[in-house]
């Protein structure tokens, strides 16, 4: 790069403008971090792809002002049946998680899962990102990335005219898909069960609502010489997935769709086709230097009823966004960013193992049975435990995940949802968490402690006093839910995870809080604990 060239500077470059990249743009822009998003495409794929967005994802969108419309398929995990054909013999229906309610923890949240197709959600994310000031450059390709100790230089190319130019970023979020060129160039290997098959998909429209009356929306087609997977997007569109990797003419596509339906008298409108790799692969590292992998670039998981694909990627960038914000602002040291890999890679590994422990994908295992115990949907969705230097007190004896009601405010877990009153308004405890750290306690002494920590570290801590600022139905509910006594306190990170707690007030609450916050936030102020 010629030193005389005036190179554009940006705090964060996001490579990939699909669900995960757009979510990253929303979460960062909402926290006033300027971002540039590049994507080689000019818009969303005509193939709807993902449809189920889980409770935690909708919590993220609620926090950052993304208004997602009412669900097309209800709030529970999609029901699936094995059938001869859509109109033929139904063999059996089976659950995603045996014994689970399949609601992704909706009773432990102010929101619930929503079924909206990816091609309908992405425009909402684009609109919100632009409202917040994100610079979206569609039709722009990444040529190469070169990083050094001070930043990353990206060479970009506009597809419309081939013009190449440079952009300099402090950090890069690579959300460029399962075949991530960024991950490949970084030399990051992957582990997991590996490639499973090459899938062909046929997207079509057909009047088939009569077969949805039982509430089943996914169908495994099993005939002696024909196996396929058929599902609806609940908007008139259906997709047929085939694992034979055969390139079919339009006439042959209609024939195979008719075979899956079991009827030839239904009008079928072909929309588009797709070809993609089914695999279970997790990157060995989610970051290298100033570049961070997210979404399928970090973890390629096959489509599943647990919503482990796109939702896991959206969780990734929600976790990363507040950390990048803190470091870019100068409040936190870059070592805070090391906690992204420490927290998110074990999450991806757990979801990989849970996916292949279930009936939907158990057949791909190289052993007869999985020794992985199947966890409840709500445990995976809302009950996973983070262990990193951004958490103090995540006991080594604690399980990696359990149902949210089994936790009691332990550090490393998602802050529990409880309905409270704030003045005349009813809200969730999750609504207290916006862009800053939050300290909860029933003891007034912690108000001064929060102010003292804020002044010492230049990191904003918002104090909410139970019984005064917010009202629980019963005092004991707050203390039981968060695992503290009346004088204790809980410190919650900007992403809604508990970073630290003390069951009872220490002799010097201000000093204890300041020391804890300095540690979990990787505070840059050198006089953090000298007050």
């Amino acid at each position: 790069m010629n030193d005389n060239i005036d190179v554009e500077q940006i705090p964060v470059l996001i490579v990939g403008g699909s669900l995960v990249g757009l979510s990253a743009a929303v979460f960062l822009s909402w926290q006033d971090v300027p971002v540039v998003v590049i994507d080689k495409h000019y818009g969303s794929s005509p193939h709807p792809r993902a449809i189920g967005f889980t409770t935690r994802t909708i919590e993220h969108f609620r926090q950052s002002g993304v208004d997602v419309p009412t669900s097309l398929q209800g709030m529970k995990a999609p029901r699936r049946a094995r059938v001869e054909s859509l109109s033929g013999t139904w063999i059996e229906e089976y659950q995603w998680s045996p014994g689970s309610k399949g609601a992704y923890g909706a009773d432990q949240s102010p929101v619930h899962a929503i079924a909206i197709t990816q091609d309908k959600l992405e425009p909402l994310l684009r609109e919100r990102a632009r409202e917040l000031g994100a610079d979206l450059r569609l039709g722009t390709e990444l040529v190469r990335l070169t990083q050094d100790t001070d930043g990353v230089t990206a060479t970009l190319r506009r597809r419309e005219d081939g013009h190449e130019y440079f952009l300099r970023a402090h950090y890069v979020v690579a959300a460029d898909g399962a075949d991530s060129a960024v991950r490949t160039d970084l030399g990051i290997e992957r582990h997991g069960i590996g490639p499973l098959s090459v899938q062909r998909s046929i997207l079509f429209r057909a009047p088939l609502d009569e077969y949805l009356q039982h509430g089943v929306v996914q169908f495994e087609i099993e005939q002696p010489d024909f196996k396929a997977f058929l599902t609806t997007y609940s908007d008139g569109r259906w997709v047929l997935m085939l694992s034979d990797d055969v390139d079919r003419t339009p006439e042959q596509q209609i024939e195979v769709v008719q075979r899956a339906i079991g009827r030839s008298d239904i009008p079928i409108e072909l929309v588009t086709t797709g070809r993609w790799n089914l695999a279970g692969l997790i990157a060995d590292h989610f970051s290298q230097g100033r570049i961070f992998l997210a979404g399928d670039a970090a973890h390629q998981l096959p489509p599943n009823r647990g919503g482990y694909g796109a939702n896991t990627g959206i969780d990734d960038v929600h976790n990363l966004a507040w950390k990048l914000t803190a470091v870019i602002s100068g409040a936190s040291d870059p070592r805070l960013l090391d906690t992204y890999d420490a927290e998110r890679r074990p999450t991806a590994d757990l979801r990989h193992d849970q996916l292949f422990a279930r009936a939907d994908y158990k057949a791909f295992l190289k052993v007869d049975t999985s020794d992985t115990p199947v966890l409840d949907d709500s445990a995976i969705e809302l009950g996973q435990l983070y262990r990193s230097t951004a958490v103090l007190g995540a006991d080594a004896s604690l399980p990696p995940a359990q149902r949210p009601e089994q936790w009691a405010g332990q550090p490393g877990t998602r802050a529990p949802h409880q309905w409270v009153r704030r003045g005349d308004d009813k809200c969730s405890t999750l609504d207290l968490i916006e862009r800053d750290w939050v300290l909860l306690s029933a003891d007034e002494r912690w108000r001064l402690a929060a102010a003292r920590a804020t002044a010492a570290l230049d990191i904003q801590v918002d104090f909410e006093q139970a019984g005064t600022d917010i009202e629980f139905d019963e005092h004991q509910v707050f203390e039981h839910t968060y695992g503290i006594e009346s004088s204790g306190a809980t410190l919650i990170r900007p992403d809604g995870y508990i970073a630290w707690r003390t069951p009872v007030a220490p002799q010097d609450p201000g000093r204890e809080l300041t020391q804890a916050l300095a540690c979990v936030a990787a505070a840059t102020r050198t006089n953090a604990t000298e007050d």
Side-chain angles (χ1 to χ4, degrees), residues 141-146 152-157 164 166 185:
E141 298 175 309
L142 174 68
V143 178
R144 72 182 64 87
L145 292 175
T146 305
V152 185
T153 300
T155 305
L156 308 178
R157 179 189 297 126
E164 291 190 3
F166 299 110
D185 289 347

Side-chain angles (χ1 to χ4, degrees), residues 286-460:
F286 279 18
S287 64
Q288 188 177 109
R290 292 172 171 268
I291 302 173
F292 300 86
L293 305 180
D296 285 356
H299 39 75
Q300 184 179 1
L301 298 172
N304 61 87
R305 288 188 276 170
Y308 297 168
N311 291 285
T312 306
I314 293 168
D315 279 348
D316 290 342
V317 292
H318 189 263
N319 178 285
L320 180 60
W322 76 270
K323 297 172 182 178
L324 284 171
T325 301
V327 172
I328 290 168
S329 72
S332 296
D333 186 271
R335 68 180 184 275
L336 177 64
L337 300 175
D338 295 339
T339 67
Y340 172 66
D341 177 83
E343 294 180 351
R344 293 307 301 167
R345 187 157 47 86
T347 296
D349 283 330
L350 185 142
R351 294 187 176 194
H352 171 279
D353 295 345
Q354 283 294 307
L355 196 158
F356 290 103
R358 286 163 161 75
D360 291 27
Y361 284 101
K362 193 179 288 186
F364 288 102
L365 290 175
K366 296 178 174 62
V367 294
D368 291 337
T369 59
S370 170
D371 58 1
T372 301
V374 174
L375 299 177
D376 187 88
D377 295 329
S378 65
I380 300 171
E381 181 60 20
L382 300 177
Q384 292 198 215
L385 178 73
Y386 284 161
R387 288 187 173 92
S388 76
T389 57
V391 173
L392 285 177
D395 193 289
S397 66
L398 295 174
Q402 59 183 359
R403 296 193 311 274
E405 65 268 24
Q406 293 177 292
W407 293 116
Q410 287 90 341
T413 65
R414 166 185 163 273
H417 153 70
Q418 288 287 331
W419 290 112
V420 296
R421 298 207 67 83
R422 203 178 196 184
D424 295 329
D425 298 326
K426 180 181 179 181
C427 68
S428 167
T429 47
L430 302 187
D431 296 327
L432 307 176
I433 307 158
E434 295 186 351
R435 297 169 178 83
D436 299 317
W437 294 75
V438 173
L439 185 71
L440 294 181
S441 178
D443 191 325
E444 173 68 22
R445 286 176 293 174
W446 289 100
R447 191 181 303 277
L448 180 60
R452 180 175 164 185
T454 296
L457 302 174
D458 199 21
I459 295 175
Q460 181 63 40

